[in-house]
Amino acid sequence: MIITAAPASTLRLDATWLDYALVAIYFLFVLGIGWMARSKVSSSLDFFLSGRSLPAWVTGLAFISANLGAVEIVGQSANGVQYGVQTMHYFWIGAIPAMVFLGIVMMPFYYGSKVRSVPEFMLKRFGPGAHLVNSLSFALAQLLIAGVNLFLLASVVNALLGWPLWVTLVIAAVIVLSYITLGGLSAAIYNEVLQFFVIIAAMLPLTLIGLHQVGGWKGLKANLEPYYFHTWPATQLSGFDNPIISVIGITLGLGFVLSFGYWTTNFVEVQRSMAAESLSAARRTPIIGAFPKMFIPLIVAIPGMVAAVSVTPIMERLADPTHQAGAEPNQAILYLIRDMMPTGLLGVALAGLLAAFMAGMAANISAFNTVFSYDLWQTYVVKDRSDEYYLKVGRYVTIGATLIAIFTALIASNFGNIMDYLQTLFGFFNAPLFATFIVGMFWKRMTPASGWVGLIVGTGTAVVYWVIATFGNTSIGFFNLPGQGTAFVAASLAFAADVIVSVIVSAFTKPKPEAELVGFVKSVTPKEHLVDESEAALPWYRRTVPLGLLCLALVIILNIIFA
């Protein structure tokens, strides 16, 4: 059975009073959590890192929920429209291995060093140069990505009420701003736990109803090209025609550089682990999050595939990308919700979408205010003031960042597939940062000068390549890649350039004394600094390494099933 839909210009969600009531109740819970968390904020550590007091299951769900925003719901459903199950690579290759690596290998350095942010780790490992470059680039990236989530949040409100974009942007920003300003990271994390369950409650019924409407998995296969149902070699996603090169590109570009660059150095995610109550809890946080992460593509990519055979404006745009009446892949979820969700479930679906976008934006803003307050304002602008002063700065910065996100949201509105935009940003900022981190963590000879020089050259290389590939009049295949191959290549070049430059600069500059590298470089850090001795007495399902190995085994099985 094929469902038709009206043109994109008429996209309005026909919600009833019951649907509005469910959304209103959800918002009351969100603001209530922020108000309750406010009473526990008495210091800047409470506001920015929840006092390092949260259990692993809370930080684990918050870890994954912070990422379960625009990237997952809209970006990956748009990928489902265009690439089918090749989208699974963003999860099974592009997330789980890096999350396990973060928990087992890198969290002991982050948590054990007692740093308050990823840039502060850079300060202690490499000095002010690398710290300032990383702080500025991270702050810029978070403002841009917060704009993505805000734009998509405003799109839902626009489809629901028909208000102008600027009005919906302001209202959506005020909602997120309210609970972050009140309760800081604790409010964001506890809301992220709530939002995780609301998102699942919204997307699972949508997936099942959508599959039923198109005749199940067999119905999809009857109406989509064969490549929609095979993860490998993913030539449509990578943009490489050669299957071998495509596999290498996916494995290295997405699976290694972009994935490890995002999950192991992005303070938005790492901040959740840093809020855990112990080193063991901090290490388990990303691995606990990895279990639901590996199954999330089933409820975001599959709806995109359903939209590709059931939503007329989406089908028109797939057939002819220049079709003016067609709908962008980003709109797939809204069309499905409108066409397939009955009263009541529509309200749940709307709450789920709003939850997803608020979780993503709140994560970006809470990470931004920490880095700005600690790593920029306190370090370089106003030093040695009271803790109360920096707590106030954090709240004011939260307001400022939210206002800026309203304007960066307009940039996101220019992309038909939001994942193209996000992968480009990750290639610019995360790929070179991961190169600096991984070399500096395992090579004690890497110098402070090489830290900041490598970051600048790596980011510059990615930007130059992207500009040539996007705006240049070249027919060279290396630059003229369809799909998201351009982002993969940009990230790989950034990583390689950073490593090469770091090695060269280190050869001509002086490294830090070994005594200053304890806790930051593996070879000079005593083993007891990197493990939580109490973990040995825990059952296997509460220990970091066994949980991580189980994650990797499940991912291998999923790759085999969908190959």
Side-chain angles (χ1 to χ4, degrees):
M1 177 181 179
I2 304 301
I3 313 298
T4 59
S9 60
T10 63
L11 177 56
R12 289 290 178 268
L13 302 178
D14 187 20
T16 67
W17 68 268
L18 178 59
D19 299 310
Y20 284 111
L22 289 171
V23 173
I25 290 171
Y26 168 71
F27 279 124
L28 288 176
F29 270 101
V30 167
L31 295 175
I33 290 173
W35 184 261
M36 288 187 292
R38 185 175 186 271
S39 63
K40 297 184 178 181
V41 177
S42 59
S43 69
S44 62
L45 186 65
D46 293 333
F47 187 77
F48 295 122
L49 288 176
S50 299
R52 298 184 190 268
S53 61
L54 301 179
W57 74 269
V58 171
T59 54
L61 288 180
F63 187 98
I64 198 60
S65 185
N67 180 253
L68 195 54
V71 175
E72 309 297 292
I73 305 301
V74 171
Q76 300 296 10
S77 65
N79 274 342
V81 170
Q82 295 180 287
Y83 310 116
V85 299
Q86 294 179 29
T87 305
M88 308 301 185
H89 287 310
Y90 284 100
F91 301 81
W92 301 340
I93 298 296
I96 304 302
M99 293 168 73
V100 172
F101 183 83
L102 171 64
I104 294 177
V105 178
M106 295 187 70
M107 275 315 301
F109 291 95
Y110 284 135
Y111 197 89
S113 62
K114 300 299 180 184
V115 296
R116 298 167 297 183
S117 68
V118 170
E120 188 175 357
F121 186 95
M122 295 290 284
L123 175 64
K124 294 187 175 182
R125 171 60 181 92
F126 294 108
H131 174 254
L132 182 59
V133 172
N134 179 216
S135 298
L136 291 172
S137 64
F138 177 83
L140 175 61
Q142 295 320 299
L143 291 175
L144 292 171
I145 298 172
V148 172
N149 286 286
L150 181 57
F151 166 69
L152 294 169
L153 176 57
S155 299
V156 177
V157 178
N158 175 265
L160 183 62
L161 301 175
W163 293 346
L165 179 62
W166 73 269
V167 174
T168 55
L169 284 174
V170 171
I171 292 175
V174 168
I175 293 169
V176 177
L177 176 64
S178 299
Y179 72 80
I180 301 179
T181 306
L182 286 170
L185 183 63
S186 291
I189 285 179
Y190 281 113
N191 265 310
E192 285 160 3
V193 174
L194 170 65
Q195 288 159 349
F196 173 82
F197 292 106
V198 173
I199 291 166
I200 299 300
M203 296 305 298
L204 183 58
L206 181 64
T207 304
L208 296 176
I209 293 171
L211 278 174
H212 176 73
Q213 293 281 22
V214 299
W217 197 247
K218 289 183 179 179
L220 279 180
K221 283 192 171 182
N223 288 280
L224 288 172
E225 296 291 333
Y227 73 79
Y228 272 84
F229 301 92
H230 298 283
T231 52
W232 299 102
T235 53
Q236 288 77 18
L237 180 64
S238 69
F240 292 107
D241 293 329
N242 186 297
I244 296 177
I245 295 178
S246 178
V247 170
I248 295 173
I250 292 290
T251 304
L252 295 181
L254 174 61
F256 179 63
V257 177
L258 277 171
S259 171
F260 278 69
Y262 177 83
W263 291 102
T264 66
T265 66
N266 189 348
F267 184 51
V268 172
E269 305 300 333
V270 175
Q271 187 182 31
R272 272 76 194 145
S273 290
M274 287 182 172
E277 61 189 354
S278 67
L279 174 57
S280 176
R283 295 182 73 194
R284 284 182 282 127
T285 290
I287 298 175
I288 289 172
F291 283 96
K293 177 71 174 178
M294 72 178 71
F295 296 105
I296 285 172
L298 300 177
I299 58 173
V300 292
I302 291 177
M305 297 167 67
V306 170
V309 301
S310 65
V311 177
T312 299
I314 297 288
M315 296 165 68
E316 291 172 343
R317 184 60 64 89
L318 287 175
D320 180 8
T322 64
H323 195 290
Q324 295 301 312
E328 298 283 3
N330 286 336
Q331 295 179 297
I333 288 295
L334 284 177
Y335 273 105
L336 289 178
I337 289 174
R338 188 197 67 178
D339 294 341
M340 297 184 179
M341 299 297 270
T343 298
L345 276 180
L346 175 59
V348 174
L350 289 174
L353 278 183
L354 295 170
F357 305 149
M358 286 196 298
M361 182 181 174
N364 298 132
I365 296 297
S366 61
F368 173 85
N369 64 27
T370 303
V371 169
F372 184 93
S373 301
Y374 279 152
D375 295 289
L376 292 174
W377 194 260
Q378 184 180 24
T379 304
Y380 299 105
V381 183
V382 179
K383 304 178 181 180
D384 303 322
R385 295 290 294 271
S386 67
D387 186 74
E388 183 181 359
Y389 171 82
Y390 295 111
L391 177 58
K392 289 181 179 178
V393 169
R395 287 199 163 108
Y396 291 143
V397 166
T398 300
I399 297 172
T402 305
L403 293 175
I404 295 172
I406 293 175
F407 294 97
T408 61
L410 300 176
I411 300 175
S413 67
N414 294 317
F415 288 79
N417 184 342
I418 213 70
M419 277 301 297
D420 295 345
Y421 178 51
L422 290 168
Q423 292 302 319
T424 298
L425 293 179
F426 295 153
F428 289 172
F429 300 115
N430 293 102
L433 180 59
F434 174 61
T436 298
F437 256 90
I438 204 67
V439 175
M441 192 173 286
F442 291 96
W443 187 37
K444 65 182 181 181
R445 181 65 180 78
M446 187 175 179
T447 65
S450 67
W452 67 267
V453 174
L455 283 176
I456 292 176
V457 173
T459 297
T461 301
V463 171
V464 169
Y465 169 79
W466 180 82
V467 169
I468 295 174
T470 304
F471 301 107
N473 295 319
T474 177
S475 59
I476 301 175
F478 180 69
F479 289 97
N480 187 24
L481 293 172
Q484 287 159 13
T486 297
F488 299 161
V489 173
S492 299
L493 290 175
F495 180 88
D498 189 302
V499 171
I500 292 170
V501 168
S502 296
V503 171
I504 293 173
V505 173
S506 292
F508 296 96
T509 53
K510 184 179 179 180
K512 296 180 73 172
E514 287 191 11
E516 296 181 20
L517 299 178
V518 175
F520 301 94
V521 178
K522 186 173 178 60
S523 62
V524 299
T525 302
K527 185 177 179 181
E528 56 267 23
H529 289 200
L530 303 177
V531 296
D532 189 335
E533 294 181 357
S534 64
E535 190 176 279
L538 297 175
W540 71 267
Y541 55 85
R542 295 185 60 191
R543 297 203 303 270
T544 304
V545 174
L547 278 178
L549 293 177
L550 178 60
C551 269
L552 295 178
L554 289 174
V555 163
I556 292 172
I557 293 171
L558 288 170
N559 268 285
I560 294 172
I561 291 173
F562 284 87

